[in-house]
Amino acid sequence: MQEVLKKKSGENRALAPRESRKTIGNINVQNPRMVCRNVNVFYDEKQAIRNVSIDIGRNEVLAMIGPSGCGKSTFLRCLNRMNDTIDSCHVTGEILFDGKNIYDASVDVVPLRAQIGMVFQKPNPFPKSIYENVAWAPKIHGIVESKSDADEIVESSLQKAGLWEEVKDRLDQPGTGLSGGQQQRLCIARAIAVSPEVILMDEPCSALDPIATAKIEDLIEELRTQYTIAIVTHSMQQASRVSQRTAFFHLGDLIEVGSTETIFTKPSHQLTEDYITGRYG
Amino acid sequence: MNLGTRKILDRSFTAVGITSILLMAAALLVVVVPIFSGGIGAIFFKGTIEHRKIQYNEFEKGSRKVIDRQIAEVTPYRQEVYRILDAFEADMETMEPAEKRDYLSKYKKVRDIVAHLLGPIPGDPEPILLRYQYGTTRWEKAEESLHDLMFVTKWDYSNPEEMAKQYFVPRADEFAGTALAALFPYMEKNLDKMLLPEQTFYWGFLTERSLDAHIFGGIWAEIQGTFFLAVGAMLFAFPLGVIAAIYFTEYARENFFTSVLRSANSTLAGVPSIVFGLFGLAFFINTIKVSDSKSVLAGSLTLAIMILPTIIRAAEEAILSVPRAYKEASMGLGSTKWRTILTVILPAALPGIITGGIISLGRAAGETAPIIFTAAVSVGATIGVADVFTQPTPALSWNIYNLASEHEAANEIRHVQYGMVLSLISIVLLLNLSAILLRAHVSKKLKG
């Protein structure tokens, strides 16, 4: 791809200059699942995200890329209010989910986080059995009442996560005993067990080997049919493989949004091009 | 620094390290071996027929038949002793008053030792104290008394430069030519036939109450008291400590107030235990009057205050060492903070919390100073669970001190003291061992 890019950058395309911090590209999508407008995030006095506006469409995978410290993870964690757990963090602007601002005082984060699930960078299964890992969240949300309900959810979630065949004979063994890739798929199964509508993934493959990564990427492709997915990744190859739209962040600004194909072949902003051609990052 | 010097430094460092560990081990051996051998002596010893009589009369242990047969066996030998005493007493009646007075004081000593060895001499009034109703129960004590009977201890003060020297004079010399002279060789030869020493396994030492202030009997009251006090302290301190640790780690924001709380906690951990003892007396008994006087409740509360900082610290460390990822995973699944703490953080922190708790339990069991003023009595009955709110109790730690320093017959009952020390050490070690095992078990279960 980089060969192609180098050739393309040879063409005389007019790129937005490095100094421009305005978002380039169409932030809107038809019939969006989540709508973010003028989102600012502060850690104490320090601003980590500046005026970010973007839509997240239904059944699409939105990849967020950018150099370290650009705020992409911070932004992702705003989408289900995980930043609430950090005392010094506060958020302004609007993030609409089903037409309601999730930062509204009346919103209960408990059901919100069930609807907008999250998968973390490092696989973090609970130190419980595989079965318990998946059944735990449905239980606390009162989704399951009987043992058979739970069995059903565990099986279907593990199947969706492509893990069922590998673990069906040892559901009572601890989830922490699985391999890294299996643990991450277990975490995905755990997230989808509560039937979320959006799944946020924070560099889900950065701790995994290439084979496990490939499996997760295939899984993301399958999950897209049912869920909306926002994924933060450091790997541009991964972004280009799994996503339909890509957002490029730089130092707290959303620099460019567009279809993945456009971003990786015809970026409009100098910074985007520099980043994806590997001049920094 | 060149390689040679570095190697030499490395080796000397290792040598110093190993030496200090060996020194520690040696010191431990020096302490533990006598405690162990002395303490075991409270349970395994050569018991005399007097021991078996007490066991039967006071605790209904042993068989009447065997005891009757053994009494029949020893009686002829004892009769001979009493006969010699009677003969000498009759002789004294015929003596000149001055001679009689001279013999009387010497004879009284002999008579006392015989009574101590064999129990009350027939014809004497029935003694009131249990300790005078029976003879010597332990064979090694009997041998010591026999030595006292055979020899008079004298001190040689001839050299004023040095400490007085002890020397022994055969007591038989004092009574040469009298009827009593026959007693000494007879006692020496036949003492075992009068007392019938047998190897005894006295398990009851741990499970029976004490008789006549530990002169006879076991230490159950102390073991039970220690148990009540330590468990009572845990009942108060453990839940409070864990809740405080949760507050510190999950809820408290970093501000002046919490930093004051934290340093107060650290300071409390360093306060000498006697201060807690006085505090317990002043606060729990005198001010808020949890009981009229010393009680297990007041002692438990005092111990609880003492171990609280340790429990808070241990629980705080354990909670902080739970990976943040667990918390995030739980929050990310839409669990409430409270549920996250209860179902994810606390289970993962449990091994550490339990370890801190059990080590504090061991400390509560072993502390003396906090219970001196609040809960402990030197001689007391075994109390029931219902009495803990109002009654004081004997406890191992306090009674070890008491037997060592204040007991009227401290020298006679060293074995009881050693037995208590060994029991206390075993209890604390067992608690710590169970903490280690529990921790291993729980963390294995968590890790898989």
Side-chain angles (χ1 to χ4, degrees), chain B residues 120-150:
Chain B
I121 290 167
D124 286 359
E126 176 80 350
I128 294 163
L129 283 177
L130 200 69
R131 69 187 73 166
Y132 300 126
Q133 289 172 16
Y134 293 93
T136 307
T137 56
R138 296 167 64 92
W139 180 242
E140 88 273 2
K141 287 286 169 198
E143 282 178 323
E144 281 173 23
S145 296
L146 181 65
H147 185 270
D148 277 352
L149 181 70
M150 302 303 292

Side-chain angles (χ1 to χ4, degrees), chain A residues 77 82 85-87 110 113-114 117-118 120 124-128 136-137 140-141 174 176 190-191, chain B residues 253 324-336 339-340 343-344 347-348 445-448:
Chain A
R77 293 165 66 95
M82 276 303 280
T85 57
I86 301 164
D87 286 339
V110 169
R113 290 194 189 132
M118 188 149 193
F120 296 86
N124 56 355
F126 295 126
K128 302 175 195 277
W136 185 77
I140 65 166
H141 288 291
T176 42
R190 185 175 66 182
Chain B
R253 284 165 195 275
R324 203 184 146 71
Y326 291 168
K327 193 177 160 188
E328 285 197 327
S330 168
M331 303 291 269
L333 287 167
S335 164
T336 56
R339 197 191 289 273
T340 301
T343 60
V344 177
K445 212 167 137 197
L446 290 175
K447 279 197 194 105

Side-chain angles (χ1 to χ4, degrees), chain B residues 93-347:
Chain B
E93 293 306 316
T94 63
M95 287 174 192
E96 295 296 314
E99 197 186 8
K100 183 183 173 186
R101 209 178 310 122
D102 184 37
Y103 271 126
L104 204 56
S105 65
K106 290 176 183 167
Y107 172 66
K108 187 175 182 308
K109 181 76 183 156
V110 173
R111 207 171 190 280
D112 284 350
I113 296 175
V114 170
H116 182 65
L117 273 169
L118 303 180
I121 290 167
D124 286 359
E126 176 80 350
I128 294 163
L129 283 177
L130 200 69
R131 69 187 73 166
Y132 300 126
Q133 289 172 16
Y134 293 93
T136 307
T137 56
R138 296 167 64 92
W139 180 242
E140 88 273 2
K141 287 286 169 198
E143 282 178 323
E144 281 173 23
S145 296
L146 181 65
H147 185 270
D148 277 352
L149 181 70
M150 302 303 292
F151 299 98
V152 183
T153 308
K154 301 248 175 177
W155 295 90
D156 173 14
Y157 296 101
S158 58
N159 185 352
E161 300 290 306
E162 279 177 37
M163 278 171 55
K165 280 201 189 102
Q166 197 182 29
Y167 66 100
F168 299 106
V169 180
R171 202 182 286 272
D173 295 356
E174 290 181 352
F175 296 95
T178 67
L180 200 66
L183 178 76
F184 301 99
Y186 185 81
M187 285 294 281
E188 190 171 25
K189 188 158 164 268
N190 293 316
L191 186 64
D192 57 337
K193 298 195 182 79
M194 288 179 245
L195 289 172
L196 295 178
E198 278 173 18
Q199 196 59 46
T200 305
F201 175 50
Y202 180 33
W203 190 242
F205 182 72
L206 299 177
T207 58
E208 286 169 358
R209 67 179 196 277
S210 92
L211 297 174
D212 196 2
H214 291 297
I215 305 269
F216 306 121
I219 57 169
W220 171 242
E222 282 75 17
I223 292 180
Q224 190 202 253
T226 298
F227 177 77
F228 279 159
L229 284 167
V231 169
M234 282 311 273
L235 285 182
F236 293 114
F238 192 73
L240 263 180
V242 173
I243 289 170
I246 292 173
Y247 171 76
F248 272 138
T249 50
E250 300 291 331
Y251 287 91
R253 284 165 195 275
E254 282 309 317
N255 56 28
F256 179 72
F257 178 64
T258 51
S259 66
V260 166
L261 277 186
R262 270 177 218 276
S263 49
N265 189 39
S266 312
T267 314
L268 272 183
V271 170
S273 51
I274 185 71
V275 177
F276 282 110
L278 287 168
F279 165 78
L281 173 66
F283 183 68
F284 291 122
I285 296 179
N286 290 348
T287 308
I288 63 171
K289 294 191 171 47
V290 292
S291 54
D292 293 336
S293 175
K294 287 181 179 182
S295 70
V296 175
L297 178 66
S300 294
L301 286 168
T302 311
L303 286 170
I305 298 283
M306 186 192 71
I307 59 176
L308 193 56
T310 324
I311 292 182
I312 294 178
R313 266 298 173 75
E316 232 184 315
E317 294 290 321
I319 290 173
L320 285 177
S321 70
V322 174
R324 203 184 146 71
Y326 291 168
K327 193 177 160 188
E328 285 197 327
S330 168
M331 303 291 269
L333 287 167
S335 164
T336 56
K337 185 169 188 174
W338 187 231
R339 197 191 289 273
T340 301
I341 290 168
L342 273 188
T343 60
V344 177
I345 295 178
L346 280 187

